[in-house]
Amino acid sequence: MWGGRFATGPDAIMDEINASIGFDYRLAAQDIRGSKAHVAMLADTGIVSRETASAIDAGLDQVSGEIESGAFTFSRALEDIHMNVESRLAEIIGPEAGRLHTARSRNDQVALDFRLWVRDTIDHLDGQMRDLQSVLVDKATLHAGDVMPGFTHLQSAQPVTFGHHLLAYVEMLGRDRGRLADARKRLNECPIGSAALAGTSFPIDREQTARALGFDRPTANSLDSVSDRDFVLETLSAAAICATHLSRFGEEIVLWATPQFGFVHLSDGFTTGSSIMPQKRNPDAAELVRGKAGRVIGALTGLLIVMKGLPLAYSKDMQEDKEGAFDALHTLSLCLAAITGMVRDFQPDLKRMKAAAGAGYATATDLADWLVRALGLPFRRAHHVTGALVKLAADRKIGLEKLTLEEMRAVEPGITEAVFGVLGVEKSVKSRKSYGGTAPANVRAQARRWRARLDKERAMAGSR
């Protein structure tokens, strides 16, 4: 490739550290797509002949078919996917294959290929996130009125509904999808034609190439075009946040599946056994989702460190942008599939959840709110009265609703029989009607809103 300048070949260690074909073969489809658009533009602008462009285009189709069928042999000696494709093209059509590289460099070529790959991957991940949201919405609708404990500090706090809890993850995934959509919008500029770093003297039409590849516009600065990896960083950032959300959910599933909680029963498809303890059902899929978040976060951190000290424009350090991104986005895709399967299959123990919802005096806040509403007490006074009643009940090892009216009046004389109307867990959740609250009517309304939105998105995706 650069034999005219060098008298000898690279050292074996140089081959080892320099070659990227072991991972960038994943860019094959994008590399060929970009090359076909580039050669079409070269023909339309008269830079290469129609006959040459047609031969190159047909040859690239053959290369694509060989790669898809598994017949293609990737050569480490050719370093990367770009030279592997170009070399095979030369074998198919002869020296005219060399005209394909007119008015471009591997610098803008790899920037293009990677943008295309990241864009394709964002679209795939968005579909997976939408599918997970859909499964969560279905479960939330089914369990809109089923009560479970809500926690702060992993201590029982207030009753919520299981549907409300599941919809919290639907909201998180909605933001995750929004971040990916923002990243996609910003990356959707076409760098090809920037050449090595300064542009080209050939009369190319960058607008045409951008349109052909589905970009909004060509990039505006050739130096930035070949050295920008913001689009990978931003996508990995969104992926890391999503992986963190999935990890939190995985942790909850691990807890819920323990005999101590007993809130959900996981299917055989997403659990494993023990080599020595025959009774075990281990929530390994949830644990792995929790653990794999570290790989996604690590990929983001690694690329930030690679990029932080690089002067403009391209440096070979930037070859380190791919392995971590490939692994991280594949890992996130796998985690989304695993969580989706677990949620679709698991069965909640509603009796266990309801019993746990009343533990730890979870309706104490309802009592304090009632004292404010019914008796007009300042909230701080109501808080103090409620705390005294909780202590009384705890000393007797009974629930608040088991205290007699006389016992309550000994602490606050104004309390009436009506207080017992707010002390049950189901009454508690029904009272939380503020927008975004856990009342079953709210949950059903939010689930309907999400269902309509997701169905619309699915229909739009199907029409494209």
Side-chain angles (χ1 to χ4, degrees):
M1 181 166 42
W2 47 69
R5 174 64 178 85
F6 289 76
T8 63
D11 188 90
I13 297 299
M14 182 60 190
D15 277 341
E16 182 69 22
I17 197 172
N18 191 50
S20 60
I21 189 61
F23 51 86
D24 69 13
Y25 69 88
R26 293 177 177 86
L27 300 176
Q30 289 79 18
D31 191 73
I32 291 171
R33 194 191 323 168
S35 290
K36 286 169 72 70
H38 181 66
V39 76
M41 179 276 296
L42 293 177
D44 288 345
T45 53
I47 297 171
V48 302
S49 70
R50 295 285 182 188
E51 294 74 20
T52 294
S54 179
I56 289 173
D57 190 74
L60 288 171
D61 284 339
Q62 182 174 331
V63 174
S64 178
E66 291 175 0
I67 292 174
E68 290 177 5
S69 70
F72 190 92
T73 300
F74 293 99
S75 169
R76 186 181 183 84
L78 293 170
E79 290 189 14
D80 56 31
I81 186 60
H82 322 299
M83 294 310 302
N84 269 264
V85 169
E86 187 174 326
S87 176
R88 177 61 184 139
L89 179 66
E91 292 174 353
I92 295 169
I93 71 168
E96 286 297 283
R99 298 190 185 278
L100 174 59
H101 209 55
T102 307
R104 75 174 182 184
S105 160
R106 284 196 299 176
N107 293 355
D108 60 341
Q109 188 177 358
V110 70
L112 170 66
D113 293 359
F114 205 14
R115 278 179 189 257
L116 289 171
W117 186 89
V118 170
R119 191 177 70 183
D120 291 344
T121 302
I122 286 174
D123 292 344
H124 175 71
L125 291 171
D126 182 71
Q128 286 191 288
M129 291 179 193
R130 185 183 65 233
D131 290 344
L132 176 52
Q133 285 181 301
S134 185
V135 170
L136 287 165
V137 167
D138 288 345
K139 288 278 188 181
T141 302
L142 185 61
H143 299 292
D146 292 315
V147 182
M148 69 175 290
F151 299 96
T152 60
H153 309 278
L154 203 55
Q155 304 293 311
S156 293
Q158 292 178 277
V160 296
T161 68
F162 188 41
H164 190 58
H165 194 110
L166 295 177
L167 286 181
Y169 286 99
V170 176
E171 295 291 335
M172 292 181 216
L173 288 160
R175 295 192 296 275
D176 292 330
R177 294 179 64 197
R179 277 182 281 269
L180 282 177
D182 288 345
R184 191 191 194 283
K185 182 177 181 180
R186 269 184 286 278
L187 74 77
N188 208 37
E189 296 182 345
C190 184
I192 199 71
S194 300
L197 76 163
T200 178
S201 59
F202 288 96
I204 61 173
D205 185 345
R206 294 190 63 207
E207 291 281 356
Q208 175 184 331
T209 315
R211 285 193 305 271
L213 293 169
F215 289 103
D216 295 329
R217 64 191 68 84
T219 51
N221 183 284
S222 60
L223 287 166
D224 180 51
S225 301
V226 299
S227 61
D228 165 40
R229 291 300 182 270
D230 293 8
F231 65 94
V232 192
L233 289 169
E234 188 172 8
T235 302
L236 286 175
S237 178
I241 295 170
C242 181
T244 300
H245 289 154
L246 298 183
S247 179
R248 295 181 72 182
F249 198 11
E251 168 67 2
E252 292 198 313
I253 292 172
V254 170
L255 289 172
W256 292 349
T258 61
Q260 291 75 18
F261 273 76
F263 287 0
V264 299
H265 177 81
L266 299 178
S267 71
D268 291 350
F270 291 94
T271 54
T272 64
S274 164
S275 63
I276 190 172
M277 295 170 284
Q279 83 281 8
K280 293 294 293 298
R281 289 176 57 84
N282 298 323
D284 283 7
E287 292 172 5
L288 286 166
V289 167
R290 185 178 60 186
K292 287 179 182 294
R295 293 172 68 161
V296 183
I297 296 166
L300 170 61
T301 303
L303 185 54
L304 284 167
I305 293 169
V306 167
M307 297 301 297
K308 70 175 182 61
L310 298 186
L312 297 180
Y314 181 84
S315 296
K316 195 69 171 184
D317 313 48
M318 292 167 67
Q319 184 168 291
E320 294 299 307
D321 60 354
K322 296 174 194 65
E323 284 184 280
F326 290 152
D327 179 75
L329 298 182
H330 170 74
T331 295
L332 179 59
S333 177
L334 184 59
C335 290
L336 284 164
I339 286 284
T340 302
M342 278 187 283
V343 174
R344 183 181 289 115
D345 288 2
F346 71 41
Q347 296 298 320
D349 188 330
L350 302 179
K351 290 183 179 179
R352 189 74 175 258
M353 284 184 174
K354 184 176 179 180
Y361 303 99
T363 58
T365 305
D366 298 278
L367 174 55
D369 289 346
W370 182 86
L371 291 170
V372 172
R373 288 196 313 270
L375 305 187
L377 298 184
F379 184 79
R380 289 302 173 199
R381 170 63 184 162
H383 189 285
H384 180 80
V385 169
T386 301
L389 291 172
V390 168
K391 184 177 185 305
L392 179 61
D395 290 343
R396 293 186 54 200
K397 295 181 171 57
I398 60 173
L400 280 171
E401 71 280 2
K402 299 297 184 182
L403 292 173
T404 67
L405 183 59
E406 290 71 24
E407 287 172 321
M408 291 189 183
R409 282 176 170 168
V411 176
E412 172 50 57
I415 293 177
T416 68
E417 189 78 28
V419 72
F420 294 102
V422 300
L423 294 181
V425 292
E426 290 180 331
K427 294 172 183 175
S428 172
V429 296
K430 286 180 181 177
S431 72
R432 304 292 170 180
K433 297 178 180 178
S434 60
Y435 183 77
T438 191
N442 286 15
V443 175
R444 292 187 183 96
Q446 292 291 352
R448 285 193 299 270
R449 176 179 68 86
W450 272 110
R451 171 51 58 210
R453 174 176 168 180
L454 294 170
D455 288 347
K456 182 178 180 181
E457 289 175 352
R458 191 180 303 278
M460 290 176 63
S463 67
R464 287 198 288 267

